[in-house]
Amino acid sequence: MELYDSLKERLPAGLTGPDYCHVVEKWLDADADRALEVRNTLSKWILSMKELMASDIDFGAPGSMNKVWYRIFGVKKAWDEYGTLETHESTAIILSWLSSSNRQALYMNRSVDFSLDLSHERASSRFRGTVYFERGHLSCNFRRINDTLYTLEGLGIPKPVADKLNLKHQKSGLVLVTGITGSGKSTTLDAIIDINNRENEAHIVIIGHPIEHIHKSKLCLVRHREVGPDVRSFEAGAIEALRQDPDIIVVGEMRDPRTIATVLEITDSGHKAFTTLHTSSAIDSLHRIVAEFPADEQERIRNRLADVLTVSISQKLVPTIDKKLVLAKEILVVDSSVQAAIRNKNIGEIYQMMVEGRKQGMFTLEQDLLELTRKRKITPNTAVNYSNNKIRMIQLVNTL
């Protein structure tokens, strides 16, 4: 593109990393109109995501092969309509959207996460961005944040479980929403926040990195605190929230033992807490939490977890027969039997408790995948591929 010719001439051969970026920064800062034109390139691309039904866009650095890539219904593919994108062009586009503080964080940590608001034709769209280095050059991902809030019923959450998620029916306890990246955890968490916001006169404090969906205060007073601009860490935000008269504290992710211990302390003190983990099942989540701590602390953590955990929802987005995506999940509701299994190191027994716990709203991922197969939303082969217990899943699909 002619717009970038003068930038290409400024860049010495072999230059990489932050030094390369500093040259691009100076080029952007020298001409405000030019910088705006560069920014508009990304605006066009990411505002197209809703029309394309794309969840993510990626570009930049050698791995992209000079292409823009979209993920559409779970499939990542190069978007040839935008042509080729040279390294200096992608670097300028990425840096044009970063604030000076985000640039500093990028150069110091070699990656930075942030949120992005874009307005178009009186509508606003929100995105989660991450920028990082790959082989010495900038690369990025932007994820579209759903502007539609789902209901718990729409997500297939049974009524007994929905009641436990609602402050109106249960005033305290820990709720886990787990799954791999891109499994829809944020969508489920936002639905849980929304029902509490609509049905309770209370105070919700949300700590995110970055903040994704912005919940307007309805019956609840809702505060959003972003790690970085507003608070130092998830752990610090959770501790500080205790002094802010909260009823519900939402911790975007439990990434380390200190944050986990703080979240357990919050719920132990009588508050309701919602958080996420990158685990694929309820049993994996329990093992993961306990294993984060040294052996001499694990019994104490097991006992505390048994006392405070109320619900665990583990989920995956599964490709459908019509090449879209559908939510598959498993739900654990903690009762006295589950508590005893956690305390006594018999976590493996919990799977069968979920199988038999339909009246309480419990079921395994394999049971949910079987139901989706029965309804002809997914194929039996897909059910097996996305199951956690493949032997059990094969047994179930063979009954159809």
Side-chain angles (χ1 to χ4, degrees):
M1 294 185 228
E2 290 182 12
L3 173 64
Y4 300 93
D5 286 347
S6 61
L7 172 59
K8 191 172 184 179
E9 293 168 2
R10 291 189 183 195
L11 290 161
L15 193 65
T16 61
D19 291 338
Y20 186 100
C21 295
H22 291 323
V23 175
V24 178
E25 277 185 40
K26 289 179 182 177
W27 179 82
L28 285 167
D29 295 342
D31 188 328
D33 290 336
R34 181 170 62 197
L36 180 60
E37 189 174 348
V38 172
R39 283 169 63 91
N40 286 340
T41 303
L42 180 59
S43 296
K44 179 184 74 174
W45 291 346
I46 63 179
L47 286 171
S48 298
M49 290 171 68
K50 190 168 186 178
E51 181 183 341
L52 295 169
M53 302 294 284
S55 61
D56 295 78
I57 181 173
D58 293 76
F59 63 89
S64 70
M65 300 297 292
N66 297 333
K67 298 284 187 180
V68 173
W69 296 67
Y70 283 118
R71 184 179 293 279
I72 301 175
F73 294 124
V75 178
K76 185 85 82 174
K77 53 187 174 183
W79 204 251
D80 293 330
E81 292 179 21
Y82 295 156
T84 59
L85 188 67
E86 292 189 44
T87 299
H88 64 282
E89 296 170 340
S90 61
T91 303
I93 292 167
I94 293 168
L95 287 174
S96 71
W97 279 97
L98 294 185
S99 65
S100 59
S101 60
N102 280 335
R103 290 177 185 177
Q104 289 173 14
L106 171 66
Y107 302 146
M108 182 179 297
N109 302 318
R110 295 300 189 265
S111 71
V112 65
D113 299 327
F114 56 97
S115 53
L116 184 66
D117 281 296
L118 282 179
S119 296
H120 179 66
E121 295 179 353
R122 297 183 182 178
S124 180
S125 298
R126 195 164 171 83
F127 302 84
R128 183 180 75 201
T130 182
V131 175
Y132 55 96
F133 282 95
E134 182 221 334
R135 292 166 60 189
H137 291 289
L138 286 190
S139 185
C140 70
N141 167 273
F142 288 92
R143 171 161 293 178
R144 182 167 62 92
I145 297 169
N146 256 326
D147 47 16
T148 302
L149 284 171
Y150 289 80
T151 64
L152 294 180
E153 183 181 7
L155 293 174
I157 306 295
K159 179 70 164 54
V161 179
D163 286 348
K164 287 183 174 292
L165 303 177
N166 193 329
L167 189 70
K168 181 193 291 186
H169 301 286
Q170 190 157 345
K171 298 297 183 186
S172 64
L174 172 62
V175 173
L176 297 176
V177 179
T178 84
I180 64 170
T181 300
S183 61
K185 296 188 299 296
S186 297
T187 298
T188 300
L189 195 59
D190 284 331
I192 296 169
I193 294 168
D194 185 59
I195 194 170
N196 281 282
N197 189 16
R198 287 187 287 107
E199 296 189 4
N200 297 282
E201 294 174 319
H203 182 195
I204 302 174
V205 178
I206 301 169
I207 305 144
H209 186 219
I211 291 294
E212 298 187 13
H213 188 90
I214 301 294
H215 292 265
K216 293 182 179 178
S217 298
K218 296 173 184 175
L219 281 186
C220 276
L221 166 62
V222 185
R223 304 284 192 187
H224 299 81
R225 303 193 72 203
E226 185 165 327
V227 174
D230 302 316
V231 65
R232 287 182 293 106
S233 65
F234 283 119
E235 179 199 4
I239 292 170
E240 291 168 14
L242 289 173
R243 299 191 294 271
Q244 295 159 7
D245 187 31
D247 296 281
I248 297 171
I249 300 174
V250 182
V251 178
E253 187 181 342
M254 294 199 297
R255 294 181 177 176
D256 55 74
R258 293 179 64 167
T259 304
I260 293 171
T262 302
V263 170
L264 294 178
E265 184 180 333
I266 286 169
T267 47
D268 213 15
S269 65
H271 294 86
K272 201 169 187 70
F274 306 132
T275 189
T276 72
L277 276 175
H278 286 276
T279 49
S280 59
S281 72
I283 290 173
D284 284 348
S285 302
L286 298 172
H287 282 308
R288 162 78 183 279
I289 290 171
V290 174
E292 284 287 330
F293 295 86
D296 62 344
E297 293 184 37
Q298 289 182 2
E299 184 176 357
R300 177 178 62 83
I301 295 300
R302 267 194 302 273
N303 288 331
R304 180 170 271 187
L305 184 59
D307 286 338
V308 302
L309 183 63
T310 56
V311 174
S312 174
I313 302 170
S314 301
Q315 56 187 65
K316 296 182 180 182
L317 289 177
V318 179
T320 60
I321 290 172
D322 61 356
K323 301 189 184 304
K324 295 183 180 180
L325 293 172
V326 65
L327 180 66
K329 58 198 168 296
E330 76 174 24
I331 298 177
L332 170 66
V333 176
V334 178
D335 58 14
S336 58
S337 297
V338 174
Q339 287 179 320
I342 296 172
R343 287 195 183 99
N344 298 327
K345 305 184 188 180
N346 295 323
I347 290 174
E349 296 177 0
I350 292 173
Y351 185 87
Q352 190 59 31
M353 295 176 190
M354 286 190 287
V355 170
E356 298 171 359
R358 279 283 186 183
K359 286 184 180 179
Q360 297 166 270
M362 286 196 268
F363 48 84
T364 66
L365 179 67
E366 287 68 37
Q367 288 173 303
D368 203 34
L369 288 168
L370 180 67
E371 190 62 25
L372 292 171
T373 307
R374 277 202 187 103
K375 293 177 178 177
R376 300 187 183 277
K377 291 188 176 181
I378 64 174
T379 66
N381 190 52
T382 297
V384 173
N385 286 343
Y386 280 82
S387 64
N388 293 326
N389 187 335
K390 290 186 171 28
I391 293 173
R392 180 59 180 152
M393 193 71 246
I394 291 169
Q395 292 171 341
L396 289 172
V397 296
N398 285 338
T399 65
L400 296 176

